[in-house]
Amino acid sequence: MEKIAVDAMGGDFAPLEIVLGAIQAVRDFHIPVVLVGAEDQIRPILEKNGADKDPLITVHHASQVIAMDEHPGMAYRKKRDASVSVGARLVRSGECGALVAPGSTGAAVTAGLFGIGRIRGIERPAILTPIPNKKGSYTYLIDSGASAQAKAVNLVQNAVLGYWYAKRVQHIEDPKIGLLNIGTESTKGSPLVAEVYELLEKQHLFTFAGNCEGRDIPTGDFDVVVTDGFTGNVVLKFGEGVGGLFFELLKDAVYKGGLRAKLGALLLKPALKQYMMKRIDYSEYGGAPLLGLRGGLVICHGASKAWAIRNAIRAAEQIASEHIPELVADALKGESLAVADLEEMKDED
């Protein structure tokens, strides 16, 4: 297994919850980790939890932290010894196979772009986010926030990134790739989306399943849904808001429904917690990978606690072990991707 760098100082509960999550990942999955951050804060937590002598856990000191409210680009340039930046350089050097970054998404993306670097041929990396679907699995939305102003070539490359992630990391034999649009017909949507549709139809690397409407995302009929970062982020945040509204309406209905409703809710609560809440809880999958880099990077929620970090480390190790960057680089060279068309588009831009 490759080592996984962990930004121990990122997020709302750093470094305690980050270090505890790393300890759990090492004990449960035997994944070697490098905790990056203030050594004088990290080591006492390791000692208190009996992990200071664990050969799979090492500490790499970093004296600075990029805060949530700092401008990512400016902070990256000024704070060369920030924990997320140091972790990215460990991946770039080959010492670690991937980085787990809780905290500022902007700082993590910046560190990924400039610290790890892009795969040759990839113009813009993309964030991939799992969304629970009706078939008991996940639909993977890409891009969900990394690149707001995408060109056709970027969306085609997002499809390639999503395909290899679904196939090699999630072990989906023949991932079905859909293009997010306002209708299923090939002529629907903006000129950009229509252009991407034509390009995806020409390639032979993966199964292009056609246009996917917003309501189709949770059905499970598509394994990967491709869009630009602006649209993807709106979809993601809207889904989170609807989920919150649903639970508020449910609580309100129980409160107003009298004694029988309250008794029913009490009986139903364990099943809801075990079978429903677990599937929509972000901590169960840990974080969202930023794909398109020369190494793995999993971006975690700022409020991540130990369980989320544990699972993010596992996800990062899977990405590193499947050599996704090499697969994507090879695919971009292949004729099946209509590379001639993509190069033509780059020249026009």
Side-chain angles (χ1 to χ4, degrees), residues 307-323:
W307 187 255
I309 300 302
R310 165 198 182 267
N311 292 328
I313 291 171
R314 185 183 190 185
E317 195 282 325
Q318 289 173 323
I319 292 170
S321 65
E322 291 297 341
H323 305 289

Side-chain angles (χ1 to χ4, degrees), residues 101-123:
S104 168
T105 297
V109 171
T110 302
L113 280 170
F114 298 106
I116 299 174
R118 295 171 295 170
I119 297 170
R120 183 178 177 84
I122 290 290
E123 286 196 358

Side-chain angles (χ1 to χ4, degrees), residues 131-204:
I131 297 175
N133 61 42
K134 293 178 182 178
K135 296 185 177 179
S137 184
Y138 292 95
T139 299
Y140 298 94
L141 182 70
I142 183 170
D143 178 19
S144 57
S147 182
Q149 297 181 352
K151 299 176 293 184
V153 62
N154 306 134
L155 268 66
V156 173
Q157 291 179 353
N158 287 354
V160 179
L161 294 168
Y163 166 77
W164 280 119
Y165 179 88
K167 186 174 179 67
R168 296 300 292 266
V169 178
Q170 298 302 326
H171 307 294
I172 301 171
E173 184 62 31
D174 182 25
K176 293 179 175 60
I177 314 297
L179 178 64
L180 190 61
N181 204 341
I182 59 172
T184 58
E185 301 89 343
S186 60
T187 54
K188 284 286 185 75
S190 67
L192 171 65
V193 175
E195 187 177 7
V196 174
Y197 188 101
E198 288 184 14
L199 285 167
L200 292 177
E201 273 202 320
K202 289 179 183 178
Q203 57 75 44
H204 304 292

